[in-house]
Amino acid sequence: MENVFLIVGLGNLGAEYAKTRHNAGFLLVERLAAKWKTDWANERKFEARLARADRSGKRVLLCQPQTFMNLSGETVGALKNFYQLPLKQVLVAVDDADLPFGEIRLRASGSSGGHHGLESIEQHLNTREFARLRIGIGRKDGAREITDYVLGKFSAGETALAEKVLTAAADQTEVWLKAGIQKAMSQFNGLVEAAK
C-alpha cells in the first residue's frame, strides 16, 4: 500500500526484559505511541503488537514483534508482504553495543553487525536495503562477552541520558517520516546533546 510506513522496534518479550538495553527498539516505538496517543493491539496473524497512527499525511504502523528477538524477521516479512510495502517505507530500530551509549545512527541500509534480530529481518526480506536506526548502548569496559550487560537495565546514572536518547531517536523517526532519510540522518546522527 502506497502510503503505509512501518516502524519496527526490536526487543524481547517479558517483564524481566522490559527496560533493558536490548529492548531499546521496543522503548522507542512505545515512546512514539505515547507521543502520538495511539493504543497497542495484539495481532496474532502477524505475531505482533501494532499501534496505528496518521502522521505527516501517512498511515504509520508501529510494531513490536512478539516472536523471540532472533525470529523478528517472521513478523516484519509478514507485514511487508501483507501491506505490499516498498523497502524505503520500512524502518527498524535496534540497540547497538558497538555504538557508544548516547549515540544514535540512522542508515538507509547496512550489515546486521552481528545483531540476531537484524539478521532475521535481512533473511526474511532477502535484502539489507532497509533503514535501520541504531541506538547505542555501548559495552561495559570494552568487553566482548556482553550478554549480562545487554540484558541488564539502565543504571540510575544512565537513566537521564537514556531518556534524552529516546527523545532524540523519536524526533529523528518523525523527521524520517516527514522529510526523508537524508534529512533525518544529517540532523540527528551522532552523540545526543547531553552525551557530547
Side-chain angles (χ1 to χ4, degrees), residues 15-33:
E16 69 270 35
Y17 299 115
K19 299 274 188 223
T20 61
R21 296 176 183 90
H22 208 27
N23 273 30
F26 268 19
L27 294 171
L28 174 61
V29 291
E30 284 167 8
R31 175 155 302 217
L32 287 166

Side-chain angles (χ1 to χ4, degrees), residues 38-55:
T38 182
D39 296 319
W40 291 96
N42 286 314
E43 304 237 359
R44 197 171 275 152
K45 75 172 172 181
F46 298 121
E47 286 193 85
R49 275 179 91 215
L50 295 178
R52 292 172 164 80
D54 290 309
R55 306 297 298 178

Side-chain angles (χ1 to χ4, degrees), residues 143-187:
R144 292 311 303 160
E145 176 43 54
I146 56 169
T147 305
D148 289 343
Y149 171 76
V150 166
L151 295 178
K153 296 186 187 306
F154 292 106
S155 69
E158 292 171 330
T159 303
L161 179 54
E163 285 295 311
K164 288 190 167 82
V165 167
L166 288 169
T167 297
D171 291 346
Q172 183 172 39
T173 303
E174 290 185 312
V175 171
W176 171 77
L177 272 175
K178 190 189 268 182
I181 194 161
Q182 294 301 331
K183 178 93 186 253
M185 289 193 305
S186 64
Q187 209 169 318

Side-chain angles (χ1 to χ4, degrees), residues 91 105-110 130-134 181 185 189:
L91 172 65
R105 184 181 297 159
L106 177 63
R107 289 278 185 269
S109 62
F130 58 90
R132 65 272 320 271
L133 170 50
R134 296 179 182 273
I181 194 161
M185 289 193 305
N189 277 359

